[in-house]
Amino acid sequence: MSQAVGVKRIDILIEGATIISPGLGGSDEKMAVVDEGAIAIDGERIAYAGPSPAPLEFRNARKRIDASCLIALAGFVNTHTHAAMTLLRGYADDMVLMDWLNKKIWPIEAHLDSEDVYWGAMLACVEMIRAGVTTFADQYFFMDDTAKAVRDSGIRACLSRGLIATSPDSSQALRENIELCQTWDGAANGRITTMLGPHAPYTCPVDFLEKVMEAAEELGVGMHIHLSETLGEVEESRAKHGGMSPIELMDSIGLFGFRTLAAHCVHVSAKDIEILSSKGVGVAHNPGSNMKIASGVAPVPAMLRAGVKVGLGTDGACSNNNLDLLEEARLAAFLHKVANNDPTVIPAEQALTMATLGGAKAMGMDSDIGSLEPGKKADIILLDMNKPHMYPKHDLTSHIVYSARASDVTTVIINGELVMEDGVLTGIDEQEVLQTAEERAKALVRKA
Ligand code: NI
């Protein structure tokens, strides 16, 4: 095509894709489907998303991508994980939660060093990019090294240092979390944001949480916390705190005055749901982890009806055991259908919304990510629909949730950069990541 003289040169033009996105010409709840679509990317942001051909002003592109036979979606948002736990994938399965933590996970984590965390997080980033995850929320330790992996891999993440007040180094851990926020917030061209990471109410007493809230106030950051994951934790809270659930307790101390991302929320009452909704708390629903550890079934349909911002998460790779958010979308749809004995619960469209815009809202990032709308950051994935399991094309939204696989993702753009093109990671030596992670994981097990 001839280059129009005097028209601004944009960076990337995707042509011919079937665009499926909430928000685009419709409501946040409704998926818009544009059959012959075009997306123009200017710098870090989407300049145009709509019918092809794009308006003349967006056609002079440095790079053009022919996306006929491809579906364009907003990148998936993994709202809860512990990235470096990829090193422990398959190390301890099929155990009771407290045995699993006390006998296997915590003893081996005591031997982890910063290099391990870097390579474990790199493995996680490679796995997530391949699965179309463009943003994740993380809570772990040696977070400088996770931040370096995010920087080096090209993915987007919101990072927090896990804080356990009952451990002897809790003051040091809080200092590290504060330094993480000071050093990394806005780094890697804005791809890295930060939060404080009080692990859970049962590991962080109120006096410690008050210190965390003071720091949050000073730094202007939010919280990433585990809430009401198991029934035992809720019963213990009610016994210790005058009948209050963990969510009521957090509300009573003012934690929800800060932007909060709450992982799990499995055992929640009607009153808890009302608090989560009225305080705008984001919920990270982890159906795979909740099923594998037998934590229970979060009342997600009730939360969504009450207007709670629910996104999806994988949790760490040793309670899942992968970081495939598309699988979580399918598990969420299936789990709540069988749990409610109602196949109309969590239809495909709602599951896909939770995997994208719902997650962005839960993380307080929906002004920048979660849908393919002009002005938003260009976090875009392309899926190959020329696969046997994608035919016939009755309903592509249904196909994405019920039939597509992570391996259908061919191309990933994050912050306007091509991070994976036609199945090849552009900035990472993938074999080096896989081999180094394998070596470090084997050495770790020898130390335990
Ligand atoms: Ni977790």
Side-chain angles (χ1 to χ4, degrees), residues 80 82 226 264 315:
H80 182 66
H82 312 283
H226 297 80
H264 300 302
D315 211 347

Side-chain angles (χ1 to χ4, degrees), residues 80-82 139 199 224 226 229 263-264 286 289 315-316 319:
H80 182 66
T81 192
H82 312 283
Q139 184 188 100
H199 169 260
H224 185 173
H226 297 80
E229 179 176 4
H264 300 302
N286 304 266
S289 170
D315 211 347
S319 57

Side-chain angles (χ1 to χ4, degrees), residues 31-47:
M31 282 288 161
V33 180
V34 181
D35 278 331
E36 277 274 314
I39 303 171
I41 300 167
D42 189 14
E44 297 173 356
R45 294 190 186 266
I46 296 170

Side-chain angles (χ1 to χ4, degrees), residues 1-10 13 40 48 51 53-61 64:
M1 187 176 291
S2 64
Q3 303 297 335
V5 179
V7 172
K8 182 178 182 294
R9 198 165 171 81
I10 57 153
L13 180 61
Y48 172 82
L56 198 59
E57 62 193 290
F58 301 118
R59 283 191 228 160
N60 183 10
R64 312 177 88 86

